[in-house]
Amino acid sequence: MRVLAFLDGTLADPDQAHLRVDDLSVLRGDGVFETILVTDGRPRELGPHLDRLARSAAMLDLPEPDRAAWERVVQLVIDNWSGGSEIALKLVYTRGVEGDPNATPTAFALGMEIDEKVKRARAEGIAAVTLERGIGTDLMERAPWLLLGAKSLSYAVNMAAVREAARRGASDVIFTATDGSVLEGPTSAVILVRGRTLYTPPPTIGILPGTTQGDVFRAAERAGWQTVVESFPASELTSADAVFLASSVRKVTRVHTLDGQPLADSTELHAELAKVYDSQYD
Amino acid sequence: MRVLAFLDGTLADPDQAHLRVDDLSVLRGDGVFETILVTDGRPRELGPHLDRLARSAAMLDLPEPDRAAWERVVQLVIDNWSGGSEIALKLVYTRGVEGDPNATPTAFALGMEIDEKVKRARAEGIAAVTLERGIGTDLMERAPWLLLGAKSLSYAVNMAAVREAARRGASDVIFTATDGSVLEGPTSAVILVRGRTLYTPPPTIGILPGTTQGDVFRAAERAGWQTVVESFPASELTSADAVFLASSVRKVTRVHTLDGQPLADSTELHAELAKVYDSQYD
């Protein structure tokens, strides 16, 4: 099932048309979004997601999102959900209608079921490939118009990368920078594990600050793990004790195969970290 | 006025909603487009635009566009147009509804009036700024998942660059590659003039093949100009006899100021080339 609510508090039928063809999300991929996991009626990391929505909106010069209204519309979708115990809840905030000088953002929340494919990935892990992202790690600060670190709706490249992974027999991607540094996945953050230490690259190299990654790190620290936010080269992935992709909907997903080569068996590390993460929401 | 027609030949009211919120154009900027100039009922460079739509669609693994249907829908919009003598006609072709295994592309043509701002730019020229695009010129062939050279709907960066130009007191952008080469504008191709020779960078460095640029070059060759397709550094822009931005809707627009510095007065060169270009359509 799908539940749709607009930011003004209107519930609507997701199977009907609600957007004009000249909404700038359609014509230009011009807007920002978040995807939040709701489990048993509780949205995970809602605060960090709304923080990041506001940050992305600022990077795109969109009006500041009305935080209280977003909190209400999230609850509205949850209150009207009658599907499974989990919801993938998308918040979408676009620049509105093209050419309208009084255009206001189009804003809605859409609750969706979790794909079977996602559930399988959580349980079984995935194969991933490394793909060049074609950018340097020093660009973000110097060239803010490239929107590195903004979660914009312009995800055609992210989706093309996932299709390239499929052509290579994998289901996900780890992007690398021109200097070989690990960046992020098309829809996830990368976490590398060595011993009892978790590593992830810093947002300053031109990637999204990961909400789930952040939450995993905080939970892991409380459970006695070390965490380090620093750049590392892709070559470290193959010698790590574990490589995980963190995203709201997939939570912490284990990468068992990289570029066709099996990685170290991280089944136990994964089970432990997944438990540390999920136990916050029990 | 706006005239909207879907690819199946249905005319529709552009002021009404026609798209679901979960169309992948909305959620992922996942689709391709073209913008065609129609003057006095004749679409300019329709063939090259439909060629490029097909090429972009192939790069995004979308089904091959039905060329005859697109030709019909272009004519349908033109036949139902009662606005000014020019139409900016957008063709949009998206991946369809998210999560629907039987999803078919959403496809429509939208005719719009030409902005006053565009008309002013054609007549008076514009100020532009150079901005880094953050990519190398050798990426396109090596990393096709980056969709360099595909006209995808994911234009948030292009729009952000134009806003950055506005912050710098200009109205358009010339993107440069990491090696300082000139790439393209966010919605245009760059043409540089020295004497009686026109220069533009080759698509192989990761830019769109320009339909208007191509048409200008063919017309100019017939009128005795030389044309060269090769890379050149941004430093050449300031010493050129003229710098033009070519796009369907703005046609050949003169850049009179670059990064705050006046360029050589190209008023006469512009008038001559604009005439060569337009006279094909008289």
Side-chain angles (χ1 to χ4, degrees):
Chain A
M1 75 168 303
R2 296 194 168 188
V3 172
L4 170 63
F6 287 88
L7 192 62
D8 65 3
T10 315
L11 280 167
D13 178 356
D15 294 333
Q16 297 297 312
H18 296 286
L19 300 185
R20 294 168 55 114
V21 298
D22 51 5
D23 193 280
L24 284 161
S25 60
V26 179
L27 297 181
R28 299 295 196 187
D30 200 357
V32 298
F33 77 105
E34 286 292 324
T35 309
I36 300 171
L37 179 65
V38 179
T39 49
D40 300 318
R42 288 173 61 194
R44 292 193 176 187
E45 300 113 44
L46 180 59
H49 280 293
L50 293 177
D51 290 346
R52 195 169 64 179
L53 187 75
R55 183 174 167 279
S56 298
M59 291 176 77
L60 269 78
D61 304 306
L62 287 164
E64 190 181 346
D66 178 343
R67 194 177 180 99
W70 282 108
E71 287 169 349
R72 284 193 301 272
V73 79
V74 164
Q75 196 55 51
L76 184 63
V77 169
I78 294 170
D79 290 344
N80 285 276
W81 182 260
S82 58
S85 66
E86 293 186 312
I87 314 173
L89 178 52
K90 260 190 203 290
L91 311 185
V92 176
Y93 187 59
T94 92
R95 201 175 301 277
V97 170
E98 195 274 337
D100 177 354
N102 303 312
T104 52
T106 303
F108 60 86
L110 177 66
M112 298 181 284
E113 297 280 3
I114 308 286
D115 272 355
E116 283 310 311
K117 210 170 68 180
V118 167
K119 290 182 183 170
R120 226 171 21 245
R122 287 177 183 167
E124 299 168 13
I126 56 163
V129 295
T130 52
L131 291 180
E132 288 181 82
R133 186 63 187 78
I135 58 160
T137 54
D138 58 343
L139 264 177
M140 184 178 182
E141 204 172 333
R142 202 171 69 225
W145 53 87
L146 298 179
L147 305 181
L148 299 171
K151 202 168 171 72
S152 88
L153 295 170
S154 285
Y155 256 43
V157 166
N158 306 50
M159 300 297 101
V162 172
R163 291 193 301 275
E164 177 67 19
R167 272 190 282 271
R168 299 182 184 198
S171 63
D172 215 327
V173 173
I174 294 177
F175 280 128
T176 57
T178 45
D179 67 356
S181 296
V182 167
L183 291 169
E184 62 193 343
T187 59
S188 63
V190 178
I191 298 174
L192 180 150
V193 187
R194 282 193 192 283
R196 305 298 292 173
T197 306
L198 308 179
Y199 298 83
T200 200
T204 48
I205 64 172
I207 62 176
L208 283 184
T211 50
T212 304
Q213 168 271 318
D215 199 28
V216 168
F217 271 38
R218 286 187 295 274
E221 284 162 17
R222 287 192 297 270
W225 298 64
Q226 305 290 313
T227 65
V228 177
V229 178
E230 68 178 23
S231 279
F232 51 85
S235 55
E236 297 225 355
L237 295 168
T238 45
S239 63
D241 295 321
V243 176
F244 301 133
L245 295 181
S247 79
S248 305
V249 167
R250 280 168 308 171
K251 306 201 277 194
V252 181
T253 295
R254 188 168 61 92
V255 179
H256 55 60
T257 306
L258 188 68
D259 295 328
Q261 301 301 314
L263 297 179
D265 183 353
S266 62
T267 315
E268 281 179 34
L269 270 173
H270 176 258
E272 185 181 345
L273 198 64
K275 193 174 166 192
V276 163
Y277 172 64
D278 273 326
S279 62
Q280 307 176 87
Y281 298 98
D282 285 346
Chain B
M1 76 168 302
R2 296 194 167 187
V3 172
L4 170 63
F6 287 89
L7 191 62
D8 65 2
T10 315
L11 280 166
D13 178 356
D15 294 334
Q16 298 297 313
H18 297 286
L19 300 185
R20 294 168 56 115
V21 300
D22 50 5
D23 192 280
L24 283 161
S25 60
V26 178
L27 297 181
R28 298 295 196 187
D30 199 359
V32 298
F33 77 105
E34 286 293 323
T35 308
I36 299 172
L37 179 64
V38 180
T39 49
D40 300 319
R42 289 173 59 194
R44 293 193 175 188
E45 300 113 44
L46 179 59
H49 279 294
L50 292 178
D51 290 346
R52 195 169 64 180
L53 187 76
R55 185 174 166 277
S56 297
M59 290 176 77
L60 269 79
D61 304 306
L62 287 163
E64 190 181 347
D66 178 344
R67 193 175 181 101
W70 281 108
E71 286 169 349
R72 283 194 302 271
V73 79
V74 163
Q75 196 55 50
L76 184 62
V77 170
I78 294 171
D79 291 344
N80 284 275
W81 182 261
S82 58
S85 66
E86 293 185 312
I87 314 173
L89 179 51
K90 260 191 204 288
L91 311 184
V92 176
Y93 187 60
T94 91
R95 202 174 301 278
V97 169
E98 195 274 338
D100 177 355
N102 303 313
T104 53
T106 303
F108 61 86
L110 176 66
M112 297 183 285
E113 298 280 3
I114 308 287
D115 271 356
E116 283 310 312
K117 211 170 67 181
V118 167
K119 291 182 183 171
R120 227 173 18 247
R122 287 177 184 169
E124 299 169 10
I126 56 162
V129 295
T130 52
L131 291 180
E132 288 181 82
R133 186 64 188 76
I135 58 159
T137 54
D138 58 342
L139 263 176
M140 185 179 182
E141 204 172 335
R142 201 170 70 226
W145 53 87
L146 298 178
L147 304 181
L148 298 172
K151 201 167 172 72
S152 90
L153 294 171
S154 285
Y155 257 43
V157 166
N158 306 49
M159 301 296 102
V162 172
R163 291 193 300 276
E164 176 67 19
R167 271 191 283 271
R168 298 182 183 197
S171 63
D172 215 327
V173 173
I174 294 177
F175 281 128
T176 57
T178 45
D179 67 357
S181 297
V182 167
L183 291 169
E184 63 192 343
T187 61
S188 63
V190 178
I191 298 175
L192 179 149
V193 187
R194 280 193 194 283
R196 306 297 293 173
T197 306
L198 307 179
Y199 298 83
T200 200
T204 48
I205 65 174
I207 61 176
L208 282 185
T211 51
T212 304
Q213 168 271 318
D215 200 27
V216 168
F217 272 37
R218 286 187 296 274
E221 285 162 17
R222 287 192 296 271
W225 298 64
Q226 305 290 313
T227 65
V228 177
V229 179
E230 68 178 24
S231 279
F232 50 85
S235 56
E236 296 224 356
L237 296 169
T238 45
S239 64
D241 295 323
V243 176
F244 300 134
L245 295 180
S247 78
S248 305
V249 167
R250 280 169 307 172
K251 306 200 276 193
V252 182
T253 294
R254 188 167 61 90
V255 180
H256 56 59
T257 306
L258 187 68
D259 294 329
Q261 301 301 314
L263 297 180
D265 182 353
S266 62
T267 315
E268 282 178 34
L269 271 173
H270 176 258
E272 186 183 343
L273 198 64
K275 195 175 164 190
V276 163
Y277 172 64
D278 272 327
S279 62
Q280 307 176 88
Y281 298 98
D282 284 347

